[in-house]
């Protein structure tokens, strides 16, 4: 059975994720008309990462940000970013427009990201 803490964290993660994804997509959408799509996507990702880190720490997991958590989340997001770029280019190759290609990417990577980031912010004592 899934405990309530996990469910509440997942809901808060969803709220933060929606905000970060909105920031990411908004920046990408504005920039992709003026610069190469992978660069636009990366810039949106980096800016949304900063917002995501602080909101994830404070709101999702109720913890304080630290350099250790930033490094852990950065590692999780490095894996996540690689998956983003591969999927973005796959969907572009399959013929989706620049504007629509990020949508299925977000649908695939957000649940994976939750599991990766949860390991960074969840206290070790909760895993026992």
């Amino acid at each position: 059975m899934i405990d309530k803490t996990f469910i509440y964290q997942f809901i808060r993660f969803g709220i933060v994720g929606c905000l970060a994804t909105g920031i990411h997509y908004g920046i990408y959408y504005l920039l992709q008309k003026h610069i190469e799509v992978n660069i636009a996507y990366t810039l949106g990702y980096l800016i949304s990462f900063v917002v995501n880190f602080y909101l994830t720490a404070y709101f999702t997991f109720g913890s304080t940000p630290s350099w250790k958590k930033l490094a852990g989340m950065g590692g999780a997001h490095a894996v996540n970013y690689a998956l983003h770029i591969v999927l973005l280019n796959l969907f572009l190759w399959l013929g989706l427009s620049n504007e629509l290609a990020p949508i299925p990417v977000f649908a695939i990577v957000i649940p994976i990201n939750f599991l990766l980031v949860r390991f960074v912010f969840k206290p070790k004592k909760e895993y026992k």
Side-chain angles (χ1 to χ4, degrees):
M1 176 165 228
I2 298 176
D3 66 68
K4 288 181 181 180
T5 301
F6 179 85
I7 293 170
Y8 293 142
Q9 286 174 346
F10 188 77
I11 291 168
R12 289 189 303 266
F13 180 86
I15 293 167
V16 170
C18 286
L19 180 61
T21 301
I23 291 168
H24 181 183
Y25 184 77
I27 292 168
Y28 165 80
Y29 184 81
L30 293 172
L31 293 178
Q32 57 88 26
K33 296 175 189 262
H34 306 286
I35 60 176
E36 200 270 329
V37 294
N38 287 303
I39 295 170
Y41 198 85
T42 299
L43 289 172
Y45 190 92
L46 292 172
I47 294 166
S48 73
F49 172 79
V50 173
V51 172
N52 191 353
F53 173 69
Y54 284 102
L55 290 177
T56 297
Y58 289 120
F59 180 67
T60 303
F61 296 105
S63 66
T64 55
S66 68
W67 288 109
K68 182 178 178 181
K69 290 175 185 171
L70 179 62
M73 189 165 167
H77 273 265
V79 171
N80 192 40
Y81 171 76
L83 186 57
H84 270 263
I85 288 297
V86 167
L87 289 173
L88 175 69
N89 285 284
L90 173 66
F91 289 120
L92 289 170
W93 179 78
L94 289 172
L96 268 69
S97 69
N98 288 356
E99 291 83 7
L100 293 178
I103 306 300
V105 174
F106 295 141
I108 294 168
V109 299
I110 288 172
I112 295 168
N113 189 42
F114 171 72
L115 296 174
L116 292 172
V117 171
R118 189 167 186 263
F119 286 111
V120 173
F121 284 94
K122 188 173 176 183
K124 292 190 188 319
K125 65 182 179 186
E126 290 183 34
Y127 286 113
K128 296 179 181 178

